[in-house]
Amino acid sequence: MGAYYDEVEIEDMAWDEEKRVYHYPCPCGDRFEISKKQLKNYEDIATCPSCSLVIRVIYDPLDFEDEPSDDEDESASAGEEEEEDEDDSGDEEFQDAMEHLTLADEQPKAIAVAA
């Protein structure tokens, strides 16, 4: 798509917590909108629901790579405490594995496989 009304940096857009979208004023009186899910999926076009104008959003996709989707936000906040406990046990397992790790100076052995 080549006909954008404008190109706007994500920092110039406002976050609407209620609608869970970034928005920017449109000349028609409404506002351009784009969700975090769209940004996470590398979509950079914000649309106005009242007219045919679109803008291109300038942003770094890596900023939204680890961002949970809008529908995942609610369920993620409920399970955050449980995940922290699991992370601690994972670190302990990793440390235990490192304690028992032994490296040998042996050369790898070649194994013949019939085709």
Side-chain angles (χ1 to χ4, degrees):
M1 177 176 262
Y4 307 116
Y5 168 72
D6 199 1
E7 292 186 350
V8 178
E9 293 190 18
I10 192 77
E11 292 83 12
D12 296 331
M13 300 181 79
W15 173 250
D16 184 339
E17 186 65 40
E18 185 176 313
K19 292 181 79 176
R20 309 212 39 88
V21 295
Y22 285 97
H23 63 86
Y24 188 80
C26 180
C28 77
D30 204 346
R31 59 190 190 176
F32 298 102
E33 297 178 344
I34 191 166
S35 69
K36 286 183 179 180
K37 183 177 182 180
Q38 289 173 295
L39 294 168
K40 182 179 179 181
N41 292 329
Y42 303 98
E43 297 176 31
D44 62 351
I45 306 299
T47 58
C48 176
S50 298
C51 71
S52 61
L53 292 178
V54 296
I55 58 172
R56 181 169 180 253
V57 179
I58 309 299
Y59 74 106
D60 183 1
L62 297 177
D63 291 342
F64 294 90
E65 195 172 76
D66 296 331
E67 192 73 31
S69 301
D70 296 336
D71 51 333
E72 294 173 357
D73 284 345
E74 295 170 7
S75 61
S77 61
E80 283 180 3
E81 291 180 13
E82 293 177 14
E83 289 179 14
E84 289 176 6
D85 293 339
E86 291 174 9
D87 289 342
D88 292 340
S89 65
D91 290 340
E92 291 172 9
E93 290 176 18
F94 178 74
Q95 290 173 352
D96 290 341
M98 290 300 292
E99 290 174 5
H100 300 291
L101 179 66
T102 57
L103 299 175
D105 290 332
E106 295 178 20
Q107 295 294 327
K109 298 176 184 175
I111 300 173
V113 177

